[in-house]
């Protein structure tokens, strides 16, 4: 009860994160010059058509991502967001499928595009399982006997969490965008739900200036540098 009242009194900070926040942990982004989509074609590994054409290739692509996830650690940016919870009600909305926000200590995390460590049934989307290790195999079945697939939102698929994400964005007292090219919708449209008077920060070394959102401060810097500084500033105010 006391915790609930405390959160009600706290200002709400909503943070939309993308691949850039995990870059300093050693996970490749998608669209930077050495990004994953330079190495693979989206239509070969990240669509439902790809899954129907070549399940082995899609499984292998996500197995590699999952294997790598076991070898990396959260960075200063993830830890800074966890620290912010001392004074703010912090809600993270992430496009990332890694678990670095969880491991960094953040408590409220909404995954828009799924989670690498999870797999789900191909006949019942509500049958979701956490994989023990990194490897999903062809022939691994759900309890209804269908092949398990990565618990990932592929291009062209619905984004079921976008509605709660939009509602949370509308409730923000402060909104941050960190490490995303803002190329992929509907995630990139969340900024439109944030009230005009709400202060907004956009941290990304390549942040584009074309967003005509009001009260937007653009910080062209790496997340691991800029986010700890911004967090210290907000905690001191
Ligand atoms: N700190 C902050 N931002 C960084 C850093 C860093 N150290 N390094 C790179 N970036 C920025 C890049 O400048 C770029 O704007 O991260 C952004 C990464 O953009 P994308 O690769 O497009 O990743 P993202 O925006 O998360 O992609 C959205 O696309 O392929 C899909 O489903 C996938 O969730 C993903 C979605």
């Amino acid at each position: 009860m006391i915790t609930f009242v405390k959160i009600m009194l706290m200002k709400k900070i909503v943070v939309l994160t993308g691949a850039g926040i995990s870059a300093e942990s050693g996970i490749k982004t998608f669209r930077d010059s050495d990004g994953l989509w330079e190495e693979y074609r989206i239509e070969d590994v990240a669509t439902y058509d790809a899954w129907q054409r070549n399940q082995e290739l899609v499984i292998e692509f996500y197995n590699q991502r999952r294997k790598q996830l076991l070898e990396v650690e959260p960075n200063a940016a993830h830890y800074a967001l966890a620290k912010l919870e001392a004074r703010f009600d912090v809600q993270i909305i992430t496009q990332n499928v890694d678990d670095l926000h969880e491991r960094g200590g953040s408590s409220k995390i909404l995954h828009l595009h799924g989670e690498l460590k999870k797999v789900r049934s191909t006949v019942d989307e509500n049958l979701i399982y956490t994989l023990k290790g990194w490897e999903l195999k062809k022939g691994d079945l759900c309890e209804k006997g269908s092949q398990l697939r990565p618990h990932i939102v592929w291009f062209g698929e619905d984004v079921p969490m976008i509605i709660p994400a939009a509602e949370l964005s509308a409730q923000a007292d402060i909104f941050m965008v960190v490490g995303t090219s803002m190329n992929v919708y509907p995630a990139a449209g969340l900024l439109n739900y944030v009230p005009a008077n709400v202060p907004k920060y956009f941290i990304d070394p390549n942040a584009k200036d074309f967003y005509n959102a009001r009260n937007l401060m653009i910080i062209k810097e790496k997340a691991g540098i800029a986010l700890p500084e911004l967090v210290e500033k907000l905690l001191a105010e």
Side-chain angles (χ1 to χ4, degrees), residues 75-92:
N75 65 57
H78 300 101
Y79 291 125
L81 288 177
K83 198 173 172 191
L84 204 49
E85 293 187 14
R87 270 206 48 212
F88 295 93
D89 171 19
V90 183
Q91 172 68 56
I92 292 168

Side-chain angles (χ1 to χ4, degrees), residues 7-223:
I7 288 178
M8 293 293 288
L9 295 173
M10 285 173 158
K11 276 192 175 174
K12 189 175 197 71
I13 301 189
V14 179
V15 191
L16 172 64
T17 66
I21 197 168
S22 298
E24 287 157 85
S25 293
I27 299 182
K28 280 186 175 184
T29 63
F30 296 96
R31 295 176 185 78
D32 285 312
S33 54
D34 62 342
L36 273 179
W37 298 149
E38 292 285 313
E39 219 176 309
Y40 299 88
R41 288 175 357 130
I42 288 175
E43 48 279 51
D44 288 340
V45 293
T47 66
Y48 190 69
D49 281 351
W51 174 252
Q52 284 181 311
R53 270 198 316 272
N54 192 342
Q55 291 189 359
E56 283 85 354
L57 180 65
V58 175
I59 286 174
E60 175 59 14
F61 175 74
Y62 288 100
N63 278 346
Q64 288 310 318
R65 314 271 78 72
R66 213 176 287 115
K67 195 171 179 185
Q68 188 199 19
L69 187 52
L70 298 177
E71 292 157 10
V72 302
E73 298 293 336
N75 65 57
H78 300 101
Y79 291 125
L81 288 177
K83 198 173 172 191
L84 204 49
E85 293 187 14
R87 270 206 48 212
F88 295 93
D89 171 19
V90 183
Q91 172 68 56
I92 292 168
I93 300 172
T94 187
Q95 299 168 85
N96 298 345
V97 295
D98 65 50
D99 63 347
L100 296 181
H101 284 303
E102 284 86 347
R103 285 199 264 148
S106 287
S107 47
K108 291 180 172 183
I109 304 151
L110 181 153
H111 283 272
L112 272 179
H113 295 163
E115 290 173 73
L116 207 40
K117 286 190 153 178
K118 295 184 178 170
V119 292
R120 71 168 186 262
S121 162
T122 36
V123 293
D124 181 348
E125 62 186 16
N126 297 314
L127 292 178
I128 301 166
Y129 308 87
T130 300
L131 265 187
K132 293 236 164 44
W134 56 270
E135 196 175 16
L136 174 67
K137 296 194 191 81
K138 182 123 168 87
D140 286 347
L141 307 178
C142 76
E143 64 212 57
K144 290 187 176 170
S146 82
Q147 174 65 43
L148 290 168
R149 59 165 272 181
H151 183 49
I152 300 285
V153 175
W154 286 323
F155 284 89
E157 293 191 307
D158 286 345
V159 184
M161 297 310 282
I162 197 67
I163 292 169
E167 285 167 1
L168 288 164
S169 302
Q171 293 162 12
D173 297 304
I174 298 173
F175 193 78
M176 295 180 191
V177 181
V178 185
T180 168
S181 60
M182 295 293 259
N183 262 312
V184 174
Y185 284 80
L190 287 174
L191 201 51
N192 299 327
Y193 291 87
V194 185
N197 61 328
V198 165
K200 303 166 191 77
Y201 300 90
F202 187 0
I203 298 174
D204 189 309
N206 300 307
K208 299 174 197 97
D209 295 328
F210 59 76
Y211 303 106
N212 55 2
R214 296 236 314 272
N215 289 308
L216 175 66
M217 186 194 282
I218 293 180
I219 305 169
K220 292 193 183 193
E221 180 56 276
K222 289 183 173 181

